[in-house]
Amino acid sequence: MAKNLVTKILEDHMVEGSLDPGEEVGLRIDQTLLQDATGTMACLQFERMGVDRVQVDLAVQYVDHNVIQLDFKNPDDHRFLQAFAAKYGIHYSRPGNGICHYLHVERFARPGATLVGADSHTTSSGALGSIAIGAGGLDVALVMAGQPFQTPAPKVVGVELTGALSEWVTPKDVILELLRRRGVRGGLGRIFEFYGPGVANIDVTGRTTICNMIAELGATTGVFPSDERTREWLKMQQREEDFVELSADEGADYDEREHIELDKLEPLIAKPHSPGNVVPVSEVAGTKAAQVCIGSSVNSGFEDLAVAAAVLRDETVYPGLVMTVTPGSRQILDSIAATGVYSDLVRAGARMLEPVCGPCVGMGQAPPSDSVSVRTFNRNFPGRSGTMTDQVYLTSPTTAVATALRGAIMDPRELGDYPDLPEAPANPAVDDRQILAPAPPEEASGIEIVRGPNIKPPPEAPELPESLKCTVTIVVEDDISTGDLAPDGVEVMSFRSNVPEIAKFTFRRFDPEYHGKAKESAPGLIVGGHNYGQGSSREHAALAPLHLGIRAVIAKSFARIHRRNLISQGILPLRFEDESDYDRFEQGQTWELPEIRDRLENGDEVVSLRKGDEEVTLLAEYSQRERDILLAGGILRQLREKAEDQQPEASPRVSGEAER
Ligand code: MIC
């Protein structure tokens, strides 16, 4: 049977389970990726697993998300991560070296490999034909400890690309088009595989843009075939030996299909406050903007910045507007410096930022109150920029630079002829000096891991009781993002190693007193709408509620990574059987899940929730593995109990919180 590329790679890595959509599949993982903001918690959890060295072929710890170093907290995290990486066999990319997604595509991603990363945009490496999936820190730690990665087997959507992009229209418009068609829930449980004659017309950087933002569809990941473009890229990166040609078989089957005619696309833009809120740029043209940001974890490749520089050459950024530009990596920074792109941007008045995530995660460059910021980033959830009243639009570098020039959102095609761009250097500065290799195993035991005072042990859930009586702590709407649970921004992100502190910011957008109320009424539950927990992979969005005593979340539907994070941390994600029951919930009510333990042990997929005579039916759709984790009270407790059972006399290798 003719196979699609996703099936080929997954079959090649399947170690257990099934590839039937929705069934759980266990995959052998070749590479893992951590970044600093998710990395400290992942490392602290990895330590509990009693493994001396990581068990995957390649593990990388990047430092790119929080490098603000406002006080001791952030540098303490970096010091911890560097020592941890050296000790446990992880490569360490130093702060300033670049953004994990760009660096991984430059230096490590391989066609046909599997990658799991504690960042939802790990999907970027699909550009090189990897199956690259974002996950919570604890799930990545398990993979680093040598376990298969467990995930619901996806449906495969074949996206046929035909034709070529017109001038001023970019790969960003391809992914915005998919978001326009399907919205932020339209990719759940799916991998998007690109194929067709138009694929050859999109280079690896463009493919990276598309695969990065595939996460915004709620998809498991996206993947491009490995072709001549891939070979050229790997050759330029001086690692042609990693090339292998990969594509779907002729006439391969897909569960669903999309067709995008590249030459018919026009410049698109996502309006506040969702990446799925996409319209043609012409519909919002003329909207006055106060800020334009180009670059960061998406659209910070050489051409993205070169086109901005070419448009601005001998011009000035509109006086009422501030513009920032972020290169994706040190290599790209070298290339823009060598070709004059950097100086054209500086002369025009752009503020050049170092190659780190920066404003994309609210780490500085927050826009003024109530103002419009036009960004080439991937997310525009409310307040993510650091300004609660922000109005963030997401678009391509061409639309962004046109806006920077005119001070109002503008269709770049109105700029006239497409400018001449400098050629990207054929031999960019490939230089891995800023990626530190781990210490050899024989030296590892001598490495001391210093923990600053802000680095606190991860919390552990209690065991699941016989019955669970919970107070409704909050009822929230559809599409709640993990940023509502553990916000972005300089202040909050400095507590990524300190769950009790980060928990103080939970749901602050809706109720600044939530922290106190939830703690007081524990055990608690949260009621949500559709796509609860969309967006990032940050497990803090599960850890903070856990700390506040949340034992269950009832929602109309869940985002993939967050649902799994809840389970891994021992919190029950339950779905309404009848969505209209959502309206019966109010803050302060007490509901009970009677005999929930038995129900889970019995494998029941339907459970009831009671309040006096009232009853609501909920769906408890878990794999056997997930049931076992929930019964144990999360993965860490499950591991510790297993270790204690195996060696009751010896000191347990999986250590508990009390020992720290
Ligand atoms: C994001 O883009 O939302 C982030 C910040 O990269 C997150 C990771 C994090 O919260 O640390 C993600 O995408 O998973």
XYZ file of all heavy atoms in Angstrom, residues 4-6 123 126-127 156-161 171 174-175 178 191-200 202 206-207 209-214 217 221-227 246-248 254 258 260 262:
371
model
N 2.015 7.363 3.278
C 2.446 8.757 3.414
C 3.716 8.785 4.275
O 4.080 7.788 4.905
C 1.323 9.638 3.974
C 0.810 9.156 5.312
O 1.596 8.964 6.244
N -0.492 8.938 5.410
N 4.377 9.943 4.263
C 5.671 10.055 4.947
C 5.539 9.903 6.461
O 6.382 9.268 7.116
C 6.310 11.406 4.589
C 7.625 11.750 5.266
C 8.687 10.693 4.994
C 8.124 13.118 4.793
N 4.470 10.471 7.017
C 4.277 10.394 8.473
C 4.226 8.930 8.902
O 4.915 8.511 9.845
C 2.975 11.129 8.885
C 2.648 10.880 10.349
C 3.096 12.617 8.598
N 7.888 21.646 16.835
C 7.391 21.255 15.510
C 8.198 21.873 14.361
O 8.167 21.345 13.250
C 5.925 21.715 15.377
O 5.854 23.096 15.741
C 5.011 20.930 16.307
N 10.142 19.893 11.764
C 9.457 19.192 10.670
C 9.915 19.721 9.321
O 9.777 19.050 8.293
N 10.483 20.919 9.307
C 10.994 21.520 8.068
C 12.056 20.646 7.423
O 12.262 20.688 6.209
C 11.578 22.892 8.379
N -3.547 11.804 9.603
C -2.580 12.524 8.775
C -3.343 13.357 7.733
O -4.172 12.831 6.985
C -1.604 11.553 8.072
C -0.527 12.340 7.325
C -0.956 10.624 9.106
N -3.070 14.655 7.757
C -3.689 15.553 6.780
C -2.658 15.817 5.686
O -1.573 16.323 5.965
C -4.088 16.907 7.432
C -4.820 17.781 6.423
C -4.927 16.686 8.676
N -2.978 15.476 4.458
C -2.078 15.760 3.338
C -2.371 17.163 2.833
O -3.501 17.463 2.451
N -1.353 18.024 2.869
C -1.549 19.395 2.364
C -0.797 19.507 1.043
O 0.439 19.528 1.025
C -1.025 20.456 3.362
C -1.356 21.859 2.861
C -1.596 20.232 4.759
N -1.545 19.523 -0.044
C -0.894 19.610 -1.354
C -0.604 21.072 -1.682
O -1.496 21.930 -1.611
C -1.809 19.011 -2.430
C -1.125 18.966 -3.768
C -2.008 18.459 -4.884
O -3.239 18.326 -4.690
O -1.453 18.198 -5.968
N 0.643 21.354 -2.003
C 1.021 22.714 -2.397
C 1.281 22.705 -3.897
O 2.042 21.864 -4.392
C 2.279 23.170 -1.652
C 2.227 23.165 -0.120
C 3.552 23.660 0.465
C 1.077 24.036 0.401
N 5.904 32.356 3.045
C 5.453 31.123 3.713
C 4.567 31.382 4.939
O 3.740 30.563 5.303
C 6.771 30.437 4.103
C 7.742 30.910 3.062
C 7.360 32.336 2.796
N 1.149 31.023 4.069
C 0.688 29.638 3.880
C 0.105 29.112 5.199
O -0.990 28.569 5.241
C 1.850 28.724 3.410
C 1.398 27.276 3.315
C 2.419 29.220 2.079
N 0.837 29.331 6.268
C 0.345 28.813 7.553
C -0.845 29.659 8.039
O -1.800 29.128 8.623
C 1.488 28.694 8.608
C 0.984 28.010 9.879
C 2.153 30.010 8.948
C 0.531 26.595 9.700
N -3.840 28.218 6.411
C -4.344 27.009 7.087
C -5.112 27.387 8.354
O -6.141 26.802 8.669
C -3.195 26.067 7.437
C -2.769 25.075 6.357
C -1.574 24.257 6.830
C -3.918 24.132 5.970
N -1.450 15.253 12.224
C -0.151 15.713 11.717
C -0.383 16.188 10.283
O -1.062 15.518 9.499
C 0.905 14.587 11.747
C 1.211 14.183 13.200
C 2.190 15.035 11.046
C 2.350 13.188 13.371
N 0.168 17.343 9.963
C 0.021 17.913 8.622
C 1.272 17.588 7.804
O 2.378 17.972 8.192
C -0.194 19.429 8.701
C -1.556 19.792 9.232
C -1.850 19.641 10.586
C -2.553 20.239 8.388
C -3.110 19.936 11.085
C -3.824 20.543 8.873
C -4.104 20.385 10.223
N 1.061 16.873 6.715
C 2.194 16.505 5.842
C 2.070 17.271 4.531
O 1.048 17.201 3.853
C 2.162 14.994 5.588
C 3.227 14.548 4.611
C 3.220 13.045 4.378
O 3.000 12.277 5.342
O 3.435 12.636 3.226
N 3.119 17.984 4.169
C 3.092 18.800 2.960
C 3.648 17.990 1.793
O 4.626 17.246 1.954
C 3.888 20.090 3.184
C 3.231 20.959 4.231
C 3.468 20.752 5.591
C 2.316 21.936 3.866
C 2.817 21.504 6.561
C 1.666 22.704 4.833
C 1.926 22.483 6.184
N 3.037 18.121 0.647
C 3.523 17.404 -0.534
C 3.098 18.189 -1.774
O 2.395 19.191 -1.679
C 2.994 15.960 -0.561
C 1.520 15.841 -0.882
C 1.084 15.515 -2.167
C 0.559 16.081 0.092
C -0.268 15.418 -2.469
C -0.795 15.991 -0.200
C -1.199 15.664 -1.486
O -2.536 15.577 -1.781
N 3.547 17.724 -2.920
C 3.120 18.351 -4.170
C 4.202 19.229 -4.760
O 5.200 19.550 -4.105
N 3.979 19.664 -6.029
C 5.027 20.405 -6.753
C 5.387 21.745 -6.125
O 6.498 22.241 -6.331
C 4.433 20.588 -8.154
C 2.963 20.312 -8.018
C 2.791 19.401 -6.860
N 4.494 22.339 -5.351
C 4.794 23.638 -4.749
C 5.810 23.554 -3.621
O 6.431 24.561 -3.253
N 6.020 22.351 -3.081
C 6.948 22.184 -1.952
C 8.350 22.669 -2.328
O 9.028 23.356 -1.551
C 6.968 20.697 -1.495
C 8.187 20.394 -0.637
C 5.700 20.364 -0.736
N 8.776 22.347 -3.552
C 10.132 22.707 -3.989
C 10.322 24.221 -4.036
O 11.455 24.714 -4.046
C 10.404 22.098 -5.362
N 9.468 26.294 -1.765
C 9.591 26.871 -0.412
C 10.880 26.346 0.206
O 11.094 25.130 0.279
C 8.364 26.492 0.454
C 7.108 27.074 -0.205
C 8.521 26.998 1.877
C 5.837 26.878 0.569
N 11.524 28.850 5.072
C 10.075 29.014 4.899
C 9.325 27.821 5.477
O 8.274 27.962 6.104
N 9.870 26.638 5.278
C 9.237 25.432 5.830
C 9.252 25.482 7.362
O 8.335 25.008 8.030
C 9.984 24.180 5.341
C 9.913 23.997 3.838
C 10.751 22.820 3.348
N 10.788 22.806 1.889
C 11.352 21.869 1.149
N 11.958 20.843 1.734
N 11.327 21.936 -0.168
N 9.034 28.169 9.179
C 7.938 29.064 9.574
C 6.617 28.295 9.617
O 5.842 28.392 10.578
C 7.816 30.224 8.553
O 9.036 30.944 8.556
C 6.668 31.147 8.862
N 6.385 27.520 8.565
C 5.106 26.805 8.467
C 5.005 25.756 9.583
O 3.991 25.647 10.271
C 4.971 26.157 7.067
C 4.880 27.263 6.012
C 3.770 25.223 7.003
C 4.996 26.786 4.569
N 6.087 24.993 9.766
C 6.039 23.931 10.789
C 5.983 24.521 12.199
O 5.358 23.950 13.083
C 7.236 22.996 10.655
S 7.078 21.929 9.218
N 6.641 25.646 12.420
C 6.582 26.282 13.738
C 5.126 26.554 14.109
O 4.641 26.142 15.156
C 7.401 27.583 13.704
C 7.368 28.349 15.009
O 6.322 28.847 15.414
N 8.502 28.455 15.678
N 4.431 27.225 13.207
C 3.074 27.674 13.560
C 1.998 26.620 13.342
O 0.821 26.889 13.590
C 2.759 28.957 12.812
C 3.408 30.147 13.491
S 2.857 31.708 12.825
C 1.179 31.829 13.395
N 2.401 25.435 12.919
C 1.422 24.354 12.829
C 0.868 24.089 14.234
O -0.266 23.654 14.415
C 2.074 23.087 12.204
C 1.048 22.308 11.383
C 2.686 22.177 13.234
C 0.816 22.797 10.034
N -2.501 25.460 15.205
C -3.725 24.751 14.811
C -4.126 23.726 15.871
O -5.105 23.014 15.710
C -3.487 24.007 13.500
C -3.400 24.828 12.215
C -2.583 24.098 11.169
C -4.791 25.108 11.677
N 1.945 17.859 14.970
C 3.108 18.457 14.312
C 2.843 18.605 12.811
O 1.742 18.327 12.320
C 4.400 17.644 14.563
O 5.525 18.426 14.122
C 4.426 16.302 13.864
N 3.887 19.055 12.089
C 3.824 19.166 10.633
C 5.144 18.654 10.073
O 6.159 18.676 10.773
N 5.124 18.193 8.830
C 6.371 17.668 8.271
C 6.442 17.913 6.764
O 5.438 17.830 6.062
C 6.539 16.160 8.617
C 5.498 15.291 7.931
C 7.935 15.653 8.304
N 7.648 18.237 6.307
C 7.924 18.396 4.877
C 8.752 17.203 4.409
O 9.515 16.626 5.197
C 8.715 19.683 4.625
C 7.837 20.885 4.441
C 7.343 21.569 5.534
C 7.482 21.312 3.172
C 6.507 22.679 5.370
C 6.657 22.413 2.984
C 6.171 23.100 4.091
N 8.652 16.844 3.126
C 9.536 15.799 2.613
C 10.984 16.275 2.646
O 11.250 17.474 2.744
C 9.071 15.602 1.164
C 8.200 16.753 0.841
C 7.734 17.380 2.116
N 11.901 15.346 2.592
C 13.322 15.700 2.531
C 13.734 15.599 1.063
O 13.718 14.521 0.482
C 14.098 14.715 3.414
O 15.470 14.894 3.228
N 14.089 16.749 0.465
C 14.332 16.810 -0.980
C 15.619 17.583 -1.271
O 16.447 17.786 -0.374
C 13.118 17.447 -1.664
C 12.820 18.851 -1.099
O 13.635 19.364 -0.301
O 11.785 19.428 -1.455
N 13.479 11.629 1.460
C 12.276 11.026 2.052
C 11.039 11.707 1.498
O 10.982 12.935 1.449
C 12.247 11.246 3.569
C 13.208 10.493 4.470
C 13.014 10.963 5.898
C 12.961 8.992 4.363
N 10.065 10.899 1.106
C 8.788 11.492 0.696
C 7.709 10.424 0.782
O 8.000 9.246 1.000
C 8.886 12.025 -0.739
O 9.198 10.957 -1.604
N 6.484 10.851 0.575
C 5.365 9.904 0.549
C 5.472 9.054 -0.716
O 6.040 9.492 -1.715
C 4.061 10.687 0.538
N -4.264 9.762 2.605
C -4.288 10.652 3.774
C -5.672 10.578 4.409
O -6.659 10.309 3.718
C -3.989 12.095 3.348
C -2.561 12.273 2.864
C -2.264 12.252 1.504
C -1.521 12.429 3.773
C -0.949 12.395 1.060
C -0.204 12.572 3.336
C 0.072 12.552 1.980
O 1.358 12.685 1.559
N -5.933 18.890 2.192
C -6.061 20.324 1.926
C -5.274 20.593 0.660
O -4.302 19.888 0.368
C -5.433 21.173 3.057
C -6.124 21.114 4.384
C -7.349 22.013 4.463
O -7.643 22.724 3.477
O -8.007 21.979 5.512
N -3.454 23.928 -1.279
C -3.181 25.364 -1.285
C -2.487 25.721 -2.591
O -1.414 25.194 -2.904
C -2.319 25.789 -0.071
C -3.068 25.464 1.231
C -1.972 27.271 -0.132
C -2.345 25.858 2.501
N -0.387 28.143 -4.191
C 0.477 29.200 -3.640
C 0.302 30.523 -4.379
O 0.266 31.582 -3.768
C 1.943 28.742 -3.667
C 2.261 27.507 -2.811
C 3.707 27.063 -3.020
C 2.012 27.774 -1.326
